[in-house]
């Protein structure tokens, strides 16, 4: 099938519709881009791969971008990745420059999205071509590296790595799959649950539970805070927006977009790290660092270019190595699985049209996001007033549909949703890290195959160090990420500790 | 030296190699966490007391109870009309209404009306979309 045949009116409307719904999810505090993708995943069943991806990529771009609306207007980040947008966006709103701040954020989001898309387009095929040469040994080491990087960038390295390995452990419940070269024996199943857990926990109910139900339980625990009333939403028109505000900020925009993309490429590191790093860099290199935090447009630009830079970056490891760059792209693996397609180094080469369709979808999603938000911002600002008592029950119902239909009607998958919804709520309380857990859960079965098959083939543990120069480089990177994390944590230890 | 590294994998028990290795790593990491964060772990009872003190217990446990009830009833109700998805539809309407009311702060008629309309319209729309349009099975 040619690309032109894929770009149909349905394809385009799914991107635009997805982007709009994503903006709504992003703009309502407590709801995220990940939740939007989790809830809408079952809709992709009947859409086919390209159309399904069009919808999900629109949701992703819209979800990341929508977070700036409440961040600027209310000082409440709509998504975790817009935390730094509140630092300068909300002060601008209080000074009567809300609309100007929103437009600055929207333009910066577009720049971030487009730069990261360009990097994705250029970088992912090259990395995939390189990764095709990897044997099981290198593939196993890549997963190990992904887990250590995630751990290193977590709030606490030990807990981050523990969470990743816990995800792997839980993914191993069930049969050692014959189709992957295993012996077909079951393991780790509690007595009496063999019938239900023979194939382990299904990925999508786990994801929907962790990102849909857990988030709503978290809101319920806080009493489902009342939505904002329309009277509180003041966009302010004291000074009008002009593109002149970007004069002298091109370097800031490009640097922030680059940082966001790079953070996105690192597996399992979310948008909050992207925007915090971009923001702190912008402040460091600014001629007026004292203005940051008081309504400095450059701060909004850095934060928003950074978090939207994540969108393209997070797809790089997914499409070249099969390792998701963040929680939302982890859900995209579910969309590929639904269509029977495995993502990894061979994906782009074997599915060139799907790859191009994804790039086109991302481009259109970014442009649609810009058009919708830039020209209709006064109306979109009212999204933050949508009542949660209406939305949350509907989302809960959609979670059930997603979980139930994933394996064509297995009620245990719905209970899995509840189990992991409760686990997700508890994990946050126990300070476990959800992103490494999820990446561990997704990559665990592959890691097992790569590890055991390497041992079966070579009969020696030393093969993990001596197989190739790539293996040596991977170990150096693993050691460097752990050492870097230890050095960073020592620097942050309070003097009295 | 090389002999120390030699490992022969018995295919019959190969399903236990990786889980055992991961369990050992988890135990070592868990121990390291206990040692490095012993102060926080010792303070856990106080932490949980404050979590429960601040918690909106009615909304939190109410959501869980309604969800468990919703999941439990869906299949038995659906068995009355097999392969129609009516179990999902019939159970979703009261579930949406009750969770909506649970999440609502001020239960005046003006506020309850949209919850009621959503509880009726959303499940019917989704049920129609999935069973009639997408031909997917619902309980």
């Amino acid at each position: 099938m040619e690309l032109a045949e894929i770009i149909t009116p349905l394809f385009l409307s799914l991107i635009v519709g997805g982007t709009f719904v994503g903006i709504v999810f992003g703009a309502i505090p407590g709801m995220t881009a990940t939740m939007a993708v989790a809830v809408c995943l079952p809709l992709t069943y009947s859409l086919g791969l390209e159309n399904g991806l069009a919808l999900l990529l629109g949701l992703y771009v819209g979800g990341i971008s929508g977070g700036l609306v409440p961040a600027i207007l209310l000082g409440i980040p709509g998504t975790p990745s817009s935390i730094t947008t509140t630092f300068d966006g909300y002060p601008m709103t209080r000074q009567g420059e809300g609309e100007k701040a929103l437009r600055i954020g929207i333009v910066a989001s577009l720049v971030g999205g487009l730069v990261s898309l360009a990097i994705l387009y250029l970088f992912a095929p090259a990395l995939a071509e390189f990764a095709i040469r990897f044997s099981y040994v290198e593939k196993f080491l890549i997963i190990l590296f992904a887990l250590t990087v995630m751990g290193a960038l977590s709030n606490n390295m030990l807990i981050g790595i523990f969470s990743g390995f816990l995800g792997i452990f839980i993914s191993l419940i069930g049969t050692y799959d014959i189709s992957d070269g295993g012996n077909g024996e079951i393991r780790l199943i509690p007595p009496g649950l063999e019938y239900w857990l023979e194939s382990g926990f299904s990925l999508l109910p786990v994801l929907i539970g962790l990102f849909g139900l857990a988030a709503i339980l978290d809101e319920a625990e806080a009493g489902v805070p009342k939505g904002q009333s329309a009277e509180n939403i003041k966009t302010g028109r004291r000074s009008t927006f002009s593109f002149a505000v970007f004069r002298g900020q091109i370097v800031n925009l490009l640097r922030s977009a680059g940082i966001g993309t790079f953070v996105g490429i690192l597996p399992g590191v979310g948008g909050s790290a992207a925007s915090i790093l971009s923001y702190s860099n912008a402040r460091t290199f600014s001629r007026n660092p004292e203005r940051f935090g008081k309504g400095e447009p450059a701060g909004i630009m850095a934060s928003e270019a950074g978090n939207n830079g994540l969108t393209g970056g997070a797809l790089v490891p997914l499409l070249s190595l099969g390792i998701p760059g963040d929680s939302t792209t982890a859900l995209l693996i579910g969309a590929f699985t639904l269509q029977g397609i495995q993502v990894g180094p061979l994906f782009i080469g074997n599915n060139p049209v799907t790859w191009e369709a994804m790039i086109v979808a991302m481009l259109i999603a970014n442009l649609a996001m810009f058009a919708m938000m830039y020209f209709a911002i006064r109306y979109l600002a009212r999204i933050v007033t949508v009542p949660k008592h209406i939305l949350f029950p509907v989302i809960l119902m959609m979670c059930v549909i997603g979980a139930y239909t994933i394996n064509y009607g297995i009620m245990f998958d719905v209970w899995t949703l509840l189990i992991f919804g409760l686990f997700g709520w508890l994990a946050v309380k126990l300070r476990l890290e959800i992103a490494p857990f999820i990446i561990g859960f997704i990559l665990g079965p592959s890691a097992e195959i790569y590890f055991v098959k390497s041992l079966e083939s070579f009969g020696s543990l030393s093969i993990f160090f001596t197989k190739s120069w790539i293996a040596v480089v991977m170990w150096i990177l693993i050691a460097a990420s752990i050492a870097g994390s230890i050095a960073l944590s020592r620097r942050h230890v309070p003097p009295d500790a | 030296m090389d002999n120390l590294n030699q490992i022969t994998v018995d295919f019959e028990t190969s399903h236990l190699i990786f889980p055992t290795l991961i369990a050992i790593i988890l135990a070592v990491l868990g121990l390291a966490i206990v040692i490095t964060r012993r102060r926080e772990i010792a303070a856990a009872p106080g932490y949980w007391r404050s979590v429960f003190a601040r918690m909106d217990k009615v909304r939190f446990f109410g959501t869980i109870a309604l969800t468990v009830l919703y999941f439990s009833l869906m299949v038995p109700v659906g068995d009355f009309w097999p392969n129609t998805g009516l179990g999902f539809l019939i159970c979703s309407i009261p579930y949406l209404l009750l969770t909506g009311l649970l999440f609502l702060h001020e239960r005046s008629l003006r506020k309850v009306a949209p919850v009621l309309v959503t509880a009726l319209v959303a499940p019917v729309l989704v049920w129609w979309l999935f069973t009639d349009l997408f031909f997917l099975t619902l309980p």
Side-chain angles (χ1 to χ4, degrees):
Chain A
M1 193 185 273
E2 294 296 315
L3 182 64
E5 292 172 48
I6 288 173
I7 304 174
T8 57
L10 175 68
F11 180 82
L12 297 173
S13 24
L14 284 167
I15 301 169
V16 177
T19 310
F20 176 75
V21 176
I23 293 171
V24 173
F25 270 74
I28 298 174
M31 293 165 69
T32 59
T34 317
M35 194 198 252
V37 174
V39 169
C40 294
L41 208 53
L43 293 171
T44 64
Y45 267 110
S46 312
L47 290 173
L49 182 61
E50 287 82 9
N51 284 337
L53 285 171
L55 174 70
L56 299 179
L57 291 172
L59 288 166
Y60 185 26
V61 173
I64 294 282
S65 312
L68 68 87
V69 178
I72 289 174
L73 295 180
L74 304 167
I76 305 165
T79 56
S81 59
S82 3
I83 289 168
T84 46
T85 310
T86 62
F87 296 170
D88 292 286
Y90 190 51
M92 282 185 77
T93 300
R94 283 194 297 186
Q95 291 155 25
E97 296 184 319
E99 194 175 310
K100 180 180 171 185
L102 285 166
R103 291 213 157 112
I104 291 170
I106 294 161
V107 175
S109 293
L110 178 69
V111 173
L114 294 181
V115 168
S116 76
L117 182 60
I119 294 174
L120 167 70
Y121 187 64
L122 297 171
F123 198 57
L127 189 59
E129 199 148 307
F130 179 64
I132 285 172
R133 287 180 282 167
F134 288 5
S135 70
Y136 279 169
V137 171
E138 286 92 358
K139 284 179 179 172
F140 174 74
L141 292 176
I142 285 270
I143 293 177
L144 193 62
F145 172 59
L147 285 175
T148 51
V149 170
M150 281 184 298
L153 291 166
S154 300
N155 289 326
N156 179 291
M157 185 185 73
L158 273 176
I159 294 178
I161 296 179
F162 180 87
S163 306
F165 278 96
L166 185 65
I168 293 182
F169 192 73
I170 292 177
S171 77
L172 299 177
I173 292 173
T175 310
Y176 186 30
D177 206 346
I178 293 174
S179 61
D180 291 329
N183 60 10
E185 297 288 331
I186 56 167
R187 65 270 165 94
L188 304 176
I189 303 180
L193 292 175
E194 289 84 357
Y195 175 76
W196 302 109
L197 283 172
E198 195 185 354
S199 307
F201 289 109
S202 295
L203 173 63
L204 287 178
V206 171
L207 292 174
I208 297 170
L210 286 173
F211 295 110
L213 187 58
I216 292 183
L217 286 177
D218 204 43
E219 288 277 317
E221 183 204 349
V224 190
K226 276 186 194 173
Q228 298 294 325
S229 64
E231 298 82 59
N232 290 349
I233 312 302
K234 293 188 174 64
T235 49
R237 296 169 204 176
R238 219 181 70 186
S239 66
T240 49
F241 171 81
S242 148
F243 280 94
V245 74
F246 289 98
R247 202 171 291 145
Q249 293 298 331
I250 302 299
V251 174
N252 177 19
L253 280 171
L254 295 179
R255 184 183 54 229
S256 303
I259 291 172
T261 310
F262 177 71
V263 170
I265 292 173
L266 297 175
V269 187
S272 50
S275 53
I276 290 167
L277 268 175
S278 309
Y279 185 84
S280 54
N281 264 281
R283 190 170 51 190
T284 307
F285 289 107
S286 170
R287 282 185 205 148
N288 312 303
E290 73 287 350
R291 286 196 209 156
F292 278 71
K294 296 171 188 161
E296 168 63 36
I300 302 176
M301 291 172 203
S303 175
E304 284 305 314
N307 66 29
N308 276 65
L310 185 87
T311 52
L315 286 168
V316 173
L318 178 74
L319 300 176
S320 57
L321 304 170
I323 294 175
D326 69 352
S327 320
T328 322
T329 41
L331 278 159
L332 292 182
I333 283 197
F336 285 105
T337 314
L338 281 179
Q339 306 288 341
I341 289 188
Q342 198 183 1
V343 274
L346 294 171
F347 172 75
I348 295 175
N350 288 350
N351 306 279
V353 180
T354 307
W355 156 247
E356 283 169 18
M358 288 180 78
I359 295 292
V360 171
M362 289 280 283
L363 179 66
I364 296 172
N366 272 290
L367 297 174
M369 175 277 295
F370 176 76
M372 273 187 257
M373 292 186 72
Y374 189 85
F375 295 109
I377 192 61
R378 278 182 213 162
Y379 308 102
L380 277 177
R382 294 190 175 269
I383 289 171
V384 295
T385 65
V386 174
K388 289 177 184 174
H389 60 263
I390 303 271
L391 279 178
F392 283 174
V394 178
I395 290 169
L396 285 167
M397 180 183 66
M398 292 302 291
C399 289
V400 172
I401 292 181
Y404 187 78
T405 50
I406 231 85
N407 290 316
Y408 306 103
I410 293 176
M411 201 57 201
F412 182 73
D413 287 338
V414 178
W415 290 105
T416 300
L417 159 81
L418 183 63
I419 293 167
F420 281 87
L422 289 168
F423 171 77
W425 174 82
L426 192 67
V428 174
K429 294 280 174 284
L430 293 173
R431 312 256 198 276
L432 289 176
E433 301 272 345
I434 293 294
F437 175 86
I438 273 301
I439 309 282
F441 185 82
I442 290 172
L443 300 176
S446 304
E448 175 175 33
I449 293 295
Y450 300 153
F451 182 79
V452 178
K453 293 292 157 197
S454 299
L455 283 186
E456 280 176 354
S457 306
F458 297 99
S460 165
L461 274 176
S462 59
I463 194 66
F464 290 104
F465 300 89
T466 56
K467 175 75 172 60
S468 63
W469 65 268
I470 299 168
V472 177
V473 171
M474 292 314 301
W475 280 110
I476 293 170
L477 289 172
I478 290 167
S481 65
I482 293 174
S485 173
I486 292 171
L488 272 175
S489 66
R490 289 220 169 133
R491 204 190 291 174
H492 286 123
V493 170
D496 58 339
Chain B
M1 180 66 195
D2 207 37
N3 284 341
L4 290 175
N5 284 324
Q6 292 304 313
I7 288 175
T8 310
V9 175
D10 178 7
F11 186 68
E12 295 302 313
T13 55
S14 60
H15 63 291
L16 299 174
I17 296 173
F18 203 61
T20 311
L21 178 71
I22 299 296
I24 293 169
I25 294 172
L26 278 175
V28 172
L29 287 169
L31 193 68
I33 291 170
V34 170
I35 293 169
T36 55
R37 314 206 74 164
R38 54 190 179 278
R39 276 188 217 166
E40 283 173 59
I41 293 166
Y47 167 72
W48 282 104
R49 265 196 299 277
S50 75
V51 166
F52 281 107
R54 276 182 280 123
M55 175 188 274
D56 185 327
K57 294 174 195 67
V58 175
R59 288 198 171 86
F60 181 73
F61 291 110
T63 308
I64 295 173
L66 284 171
T67 306
V68 170
L69 202 64
Y70 176 47
F71 290 0
S72 309
L73 290 176
M74 220 184 288
V75 172
V77 172
D79 284 345
F80 285 105
W81 303 275
N83 305 318
T84 55
L86 281 172
F88 165 80
L89 179 64
I90 292 169
C91 294
S92 293
I93 292 171
Y95 177 69
L96 257 74
L97 178 65
L98 293 174
T99 43
L101 290 174
L102 183 70
F103 294 160
L104 202 57
H105 286 268
E106 180 197 327
R107 294 184 184 93
S108 63
L109 188 65
R110 202 172 62 89
K111 296 271 183 186
V112 170
V115 176
L116 188 64
V117 171
T118 311
L120 285 169
V121 173
V124 171
L125 191 70
V126 164
W127 174 77
W128 170 76
L129 194 71
F130 280 83
T131 54
D132 263 25
L133 215 63
F134 292 172
F135 301 110
L136 290 172
T137 315
L138 289 175

